[in-house]
Amino acid sequence: MQPPITIAGTTIQPGTRKSIELPIPSFYTHKAASMPVHVIHGKRAGPCLLVCAAIHGDEINGVEIIRRLLKHKTINNLKGTLIAIPVVNVFGFVSQSRYLPDRRDLNRSFPGSKKGSMASRLANILIEEIVDKCTHIIDLHTGATGKDNLPQIRAFLEEDEDIEKLARAFGVPVIIHTDMRDGSLREASKKRNIPVLLYEAGEALRFDEVAIRAGVRGVLGVMSCLEMRRPVNKKKNYNTVISRETTWIRANDSGIFRSIVPLGASIKKGELLGYISDPLGEIETKVTSSVFGIVIGKTNMPLVHEGDATFHIARYQEAEEVSGYIETYNEELDSPIE
């Protein structure tokens, strides 16, 4: 049997689960504020997995992923510990904003400090109370406002053999190798030798059912890979393919943008992706791809300025094959989550 775990002065015994309100800086009104934390502490020793969402307060798909995860029947008898935080950036969540009240980005403020800015203090609380107790992390994100992302895993794959194994266990067809961002949770965790998977899917301030189902299934897949729950021996009908380079396709003019390709589409170099026109339709320019690859992100905003990002392309030479994997994967999401 593993020992108890203590968070914010609350001790959780093996074989139990408990919700904790982790104290954070208060609101202007002196009303106390807290970060909701749910802990499932198994009887048997094993990994300690943190699953967190809404580090950017408007990225709410992860909140629903965690709600469904906590209701899944298989996590009541897990090996190790699951720490679930559906809303890290409580202040941004309340105001439907990506940022904290001081306009700082929490995911550029780690590891933080006890005497720094509000963002720095909140980051420090998460590191000291939660992250330092963990062995693995899954950080749930979405695209920004008006930007839609294909379900994908982002991870730094160069120095850790286990991280690629976990990324593949998440089960989405597309994995993106990405460098660390200064001040991010991934960077701070890497310095502590804690592997982090970053899941990107959907759009800010929107629930996307495909993204949510993929997220729940992915977290459960990682838990099976870590032997925290029973493995599900279900054969995949698609492959997971790694891209090591991505490219933004930007608007070459200002105007009204019309996309003609969906997320997950296979793109050839020089292929037509959409049009930008003036309000009367008298002037029209084409948006074309400069690379081969798969559309992993796109703008949903019809109004663009010159230089705005319109498409995000993961570069693949075998793009048509990867697109086929994505189509098969989307069909499999209709089946029950095990």
Side-chain angles (χ1 to χ4, degrees):
M1 183 176 290
Q2 65 178 339
I5 184 172
T6 300
I7 296 175
T10 299
T11 299
I12 304 96
Q13 297 296 331
T16 64
R17 57 190 295 172
K18 183 169 287 190
S19 293
I20 299 166
E21 296 297 328
L22 178 60
I24 58 176
S26 63
F27 290 99
Y28 294 131
T29 58
H30 281 211
K31 177 71 174 177
S34 61
M35 186 188 303
V37 180
H38 193 84
V39 182
I40 303 175
H41 195 43
K43 289 183 179 180
R44 296 170 294 162
C48 182
L49 173 65
L50 167 64
V51 182
C52 61
I55 281 182
H56 295 133
D58 60 354
E59 297 182 2
I60 64 173
N61 266 335
V63 180
E64 176 65 8
I65 289 170
I66 290 176
R67 187 192 70 80
R68 296 188 192 185
L69 175 68
L70 292 175
K71 289 184 174 294
H72 198 273
K73 58 185 179 182
T74 67
I75 66 169
N76 289 320
N77 189 33
L78 58 80
K79 178 182 177 182
T81 305
L82 173 65
I83 302 176
I85 306 180
V87 183
V88 174
N89 182 356
V90 174
F91 302 95
F93 185 76
V94 168
S95 61
Q96 300 183 22
S97 169
R98 177 183 179 90
Y99 304 106
L100 287 159
D102 60 3
R103 296 299 297 168
R104 283 182 168 87
D105 186 334
L106 180 57
N107 209 29
R108 300 294 179 268
S109 303
F110 289 97
S113 71
K114 293 180 179 179
K115 296 182 179 180
S117 66
M118 183 183 190
S120 185
R121 295 178 188 216
L122 192 58
N124 176 257
I125 290 169
L126 186 68
I127 291 290
E128 292 194 349
E129 289 286 353
I130 306 294
V131 171
D132 283 343
K133 297 177 173 68
C134 297
T135 60
H136 301 80
I137 298 174
I138 301 175
D139 186 16
L140 306 174
H141 286 260
T142 75
T145 303
K147 300 282 196 308
D148 201 0
N149 279 338
L150 182 78
Q152 60 197 261
I153 284 291
R154 299 181 184 179
F156 186 76
L157 304 173
E158 293 297 325
E159 298 175 2
D160 190 336
E161 295 178 359
D162 292 335
I163 195 72
E164 182 175 334
K165 181 181 178 182
L166 294 175
R168 290 186 181 277
F170 199 96
V172 290
V174 174
I175 298 173
I176 311 295
H177 166 68
T178 56
D179 291 331
M180 301 292 177
R181 294 272 184 101
D182 290 345
S184 67
L185 176 61
R186 282 205 299 147
E187 182 198 46
S189 301
K190 183 177 182 296
K191 291 179 179 178
R192 290 164 168 75
N193 296 315
I194 302 170
V196 180
L197 298 181
L198 191 152
Y199 175 62
E200 282 274 2
E203 179 186 352
L205 295 176
R206 300 284 185 273
F207 275 174
D208 182 308
E209 186 62 26
V210 170
I212 292 166
R213 288 186 183 183
V216 175
R217 180 172 294 186
V219 173
L220 291 171
V222 172
M223 291 175 69
S224 293
C225 182
L226 292 172
E227 299 182 350
M228 297 177 68
R229 64 189 287 266
R230 62 174 177 81
V232 178
N233 296 318
K234 184 176 180 180
K235 183 180 179 181
K236 293 195 304 183
N237 295 313
Y238 59 90
N239 289 332
T240 298
V241 186
I242 296 172
S243 172
R244 296 184 178 273
E245 189 174 1
T246 66
T247 297
W248 286 99
I249 307 299
R250 299 190 176 275
N252 50 13
D253 201 355
S254 299
I256 300 172
F257 171 66
R258 292 175 290 124
S259 169
I260 61 172
V261 297
L263 285 174
S266 167
I267 299 301
K268 298 178 181 178
K269 186 174 182 179
E271 184 171 339
L272 180 64
L273 305 179
Y275 299 92
I276 299 172
S277 63
D278 70 291
L280 295 176
E282 295 177 346
I283 301 172
E284 188 170 78
T285 59
K286 296 178 179 180
V287 178
T288 59
S289 178
S290 58
V291 295
F292 290 89
I294 296 292
V295 178
I296 60 168
K298 63 190 291 287
T299 183
N300 289 329
M301 299 294 290
L303 307 180
V304 298
H305 287 110
E306 183 178 341
D308 283 353
T310 56
F311 295 92
H312 196 192
I313 311 295
R315 300 181 69 167
Y316 291 105
Q317 290 299 323
E318 67 279 27
E320 290 184 7
E321 187 176 2
V322 179
S323 184
Y325 297 154
I326 293 168
E327 186 175 342
T328 302
Y329 174 74
N330 287 337
E331 291 172 358
E332 289 191 3
L333 284 175
D334 292 331
S335 61
I337 296 174
E338 299 180 69

